[in-house]
């Protein structure tokens, strides 16, 4: 009964945990019917938005924004998700959440035929990567360089295309 404890110090943690559970339940409901979990996902979004609005200094804020953006994307709310990804990209300077947020923003720009903007976000992800802890940094670097090579190619940035593509051929060498 989270409503019975509005001033509990652990309230944002409980809310985040509940949002994660609701999202997992929604995914389970969606196995039989694609739309079956949308109400549950919206309940999770309400909790995550409340955390974002009411607990500005919450130490799990990046995780909260990340989950919120993922859920928005799963509900095909791309513009709202893009806004959240941009917020996360701006604040996450030392976490893998920041790398993934920059990739998501770049992917959205690439999808709407703006490869130059996508390239900037991919470059930002690549610059951030050495400062974050990752279980597989080489894999993350490959993911970024693949996207960067395509965006640079589409933006007619030949030098950047060659640099990113060369990194793909020699993983772990940059």
């Amino acid at each position: 009964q989270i409503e019975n404890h509005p001033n509990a110090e652990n309230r944002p943690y409980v809310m985040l945990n509940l949002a994660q559970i609701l999202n997992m339940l929604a995914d389970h409901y969606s196995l039989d019917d694609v739309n079956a979990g949308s109400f549950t996902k919206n309940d999770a979004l309400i909790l995550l938005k409340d955390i974002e609005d009411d607990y500005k200094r919450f130490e799990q804020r990046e995780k909260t924004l990340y989950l919120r953006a993922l859920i928005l994307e799963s509900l095909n709310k791309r513009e709202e998700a893009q806004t959240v990804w941009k917020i996360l990209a701006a604040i996450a300077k030392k976490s893998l959440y920041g790398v993934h947020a920059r990739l998501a923003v770049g992917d959205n720009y690439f999808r709407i035929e703006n490869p130059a903007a996508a390239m900037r976000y991919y470059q930002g992800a690549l610059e951030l990567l050495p400062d974050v802890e990752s279980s597989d940094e080489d894999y993350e670097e490959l993911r970024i360089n693949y996207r960067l090579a395509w965006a640079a190619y589409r933006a007619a940035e030949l030098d950047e295309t060659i640099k990113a593509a060369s990194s793909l051929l020699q993983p772990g060498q940059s």
Side-chain angles (χ1 to χ4, degrees):
Q1 295 289 351
I2 195 168
E3 295 84 16
N4 294 340
H5 305 283
N7 298 320
E9 289 182 27
N10 66 339
R11 184 176 172 84
Y13 294 96
V14 172
M15 292 169 68
L16 176 57
N17 188 259
L18 180 56
Q20 291 169 325
I21 292 168
L22 288 171
N23 185 49
M24 290 189 313
L25 282 171
D27 288 342
H28 179 71
Y29 296 151
S30 298
L31 293 175
D32 295 328
D33 177 7
V34 175
N35 298 316
S38 61
F39 289 116
T40 309
K41 284 186 180 274
N42 281 312
D43 288 342
L45 285 173
I46 290 167
L47 286 168
L48 295 167
K49 183 68 172 139
D50 286 348
I51 294 170
E52 187 180 343
D53 292 344
D54 298 340
Y55 301 95
K56 301 279 187 204
R57 295 179 181 257
F58 181 43
E59 65 184 38
Q60 299 293 322
R61 187 163 191 247
E62 292 177 12
K63 186 181 287 188
T64 301
L65 290 167
Y66 186 80
L67 181 59
R68 187 165 164 241
L70 287 177
I71 294 172
L72 286 166
E73 281 190 350
S74 74
L75 293 171
N76 290 319
K77 295 181 179 183
R78 289 188 173 140
E79 288 181 25
E80 289 177 66
Q82 179 77 336
T83 300
V84 176
W85 285 126
K86 284 182 177 181
I87 292 168
L88 181 56
I91 67 166
K93 305 286 188 208
K94 295 190 185 267
S95 74
L96 203 52
Y97 294 119
V99 172
H100 290 180
R102 286 164 178 78
L103 287 176
V105 173
D107 289 350
N108 284 318
Y109 277 126
F110 193 82
R111 183 181 49 77
I112 62 170
E113 300 293 329
N114 190 342
M119 199 172 88
R120 285 191 301 275
Y121 275 93
Y122 297 150
Q123 288 168 330
L126 197 57
E127 290 168 10
L128 183 62
L129 189 59
D131 296 332
V132 303
E133 192 174 311
S134 171
S135 61
D136 194 349
E137 192 172 324
D138 288 343
Y139 172 73
E140 295 294 340
E141 187 176 347
L142 281 171
R143 290 178 62 202
I144 297 167
N145 278 315
Y146 177 81
R147 288 170 164 91
L148 182 55
W150 273 111
Y153 174 76
R154 296 285 306 274
E157 295 285 343
L158 185 58
D159 289 341
E160 192 63 42
T161 303
I162 292 169
K163 181 180 169 188
S166 295
S167 293
L168 290 171
L169 298 173
Q170 301 172 2
Q173 299 293 319
S174 51

